[in-house]
Amino acid sequence: MNTVNKTSLLTGALAGVTAALLSMGANTQSSLTIVLYAASALPILIAGLGWGNAAAITAIISAGATAAALISPQFALLILVVTLIPAGWLSHLANLARPATELGGPDGALAWYPLSDILSHLAGLVTAGMIIVGFIVGYDSGVSDRMVDIVIEAVKAQEPLYNPDAAAIAQIKSIFTLALPLIQGAVWVVMLFTAYYIATRIVQMSGKSLRPREDIPSTLRMHRNAIFIFLGGLVLTFLGGAPATIGALICGTFGAGFLLAGFASFHFRTRGKSWRLPVLWIAYLSVLVFTIPAIFFLLTGLTDTRRTIAVTPVGKN
């Protein structure tokens, strides 16, 4: 075993322990739960992007073993399928490259795995991971119904005159049954892609990055075939029961991918405009506060699908 391999394995092991500790910290800091869970992907991504697959695999194994030993095997399985394995797979895809001549490119150059495909893979991985988690924990509509009951009781405590009838409560529950997996899937895709973006910047600044720095506004799009998956999820939401829940999850995960692509397209189209900065701030704030404007960026992402491949000379990061 040479020095490079030893370094990779040691880096991966340390990254895995760090990821496990961040995941465990999410259980004790309720106000930062989702941030810490997403942050647990960072060590895996950094290890994989900077030191390769061996480091990423070692990090995933050590994180799972640490979580299983300190918390439980079930907890380890949950963080593996939702966070750690997706992070390791993203780092693997990001480091993939082949001779550009195979794609009709110039000699002596490498063509890197398209960012559009990486984003589509992320949406698919989050979808599969959350379905597995739902099967493990026994997720059903009763979970969302209990959450609605808790919220209604809290509102009644603040407003004694608030007393919705049974029909209104049933309607709220039916909507929330689909809204909960949709929102969870969308938020998780956005958080993991944010972790991927931060990890790429950290690795690039350290000089360990294999993949060249990309122009995100011009390259971040979804694969055109992802449109059919999104539409399939939309159809499933009308079937009721478990298929509707899975359909809502698919709409959330792949919809988040198209939403990110829509924002990237908006960044690209406003580049060089004098009014760009205030408009971007207004766009982000409007989505965070009102949510409805997100439909515009979702539609933009749906109508602007393409695969942009980064090409660099051999030996140049």
Side-chain angles (χ1 to χ4, degrees), residues 49-50 91-98 100 109-115 118 196-197 199-205 207-216 218-219 308-317:
L49 291 170
S91 67
H92 165 69
L93 294 178
N95 287 338
L96 288 180
R98 58 179 176 171
L110 290 176
W112 297 86
Y113 198 77
L115 188 58
I118 293 176
Y196 168 79
Y197 176 82
T200 57
R201 292 296 179 260
I202 292 174
V203 175
Q204 285 163 0
M205 287 188 293
K208 294 289 295 181
S209 179
L210 300 176
R211 188 183 182 93
R213 180 169 181 172
E214 294 179 85
D215 180 32
I216 298 294
S218 63
T219 59
T308 302
I309 300 175
V311 177
T312 58
V314 175
K316 180 179 179 181
N317 285 353

Side-chain angles (χ1 to χ4, degrees), residues 41 44-46 48-49 53 56 60 82-96 113-126 188-197 199-200 211:
I44 309 295
L45 286 164
I46 292 172
L49 291 170
N53 288 340
I60 293 170
V82 174
T83 306
L84 306 183
I85 292 177
W89 185 249
L90 290 185
S91 67
H92 165 69
L93 294 178
N95 287 338
L96 288 180
Y113 198 77
L115 188 58
S116 60
D117 291 11
I118 293 176
L119 182 57
S120 299
H121 273 260
L122 173 59
L125 287 168
V126 172
W188 201 238
V189 168
V190 172
M191 295 294 287
L192 286 186
F193 184 79
T194 301
Y196 168 79
Y197 176 82
T200 57
R211 188 183 182 93

Side-chain angles (χ1 to χ4, degrees), residues 145-167:
D145 289 350
R146 288 191 294 272
M147 295 181 67
V148 172
D149 290 334
I150 292 171
V151 173
I152 290 177
E153 291 301 321
V155 174
K156 285 182 177 179
Q158 297 293 327
E159 297 289 341
L161 297 179
Y162 178 72
N163 188 27
D165 56 28

Side-chain angles (χ1 to χ4, degrees), residues 74 77-78 128-140:
Q74 185 184 48
L77 180 59
L78 294 179
M130 288 196 168
I131 290 174
I132 294 172
V133 168
F135 179 77
I136 293 172
V137 303
Y139 177 86
D140 55 28

Side-chain angles (χ1 to χ4, degrees), residues 13-29 36-37 39-40 43 62-64 66-67 70-71 75 79 84:
L14 292 175
V17 173
T18 303
L21 293 176
L22 286 170
S23 297
M24 289 185 286
N27 287 337
T28 59
Q29 296 291 332
L36 289 175
Y37 271 128
S40 67
S62 63
T66 302
L70 297 181
I71 302 294
F75 174 76
I79 64 172
L84 306 183

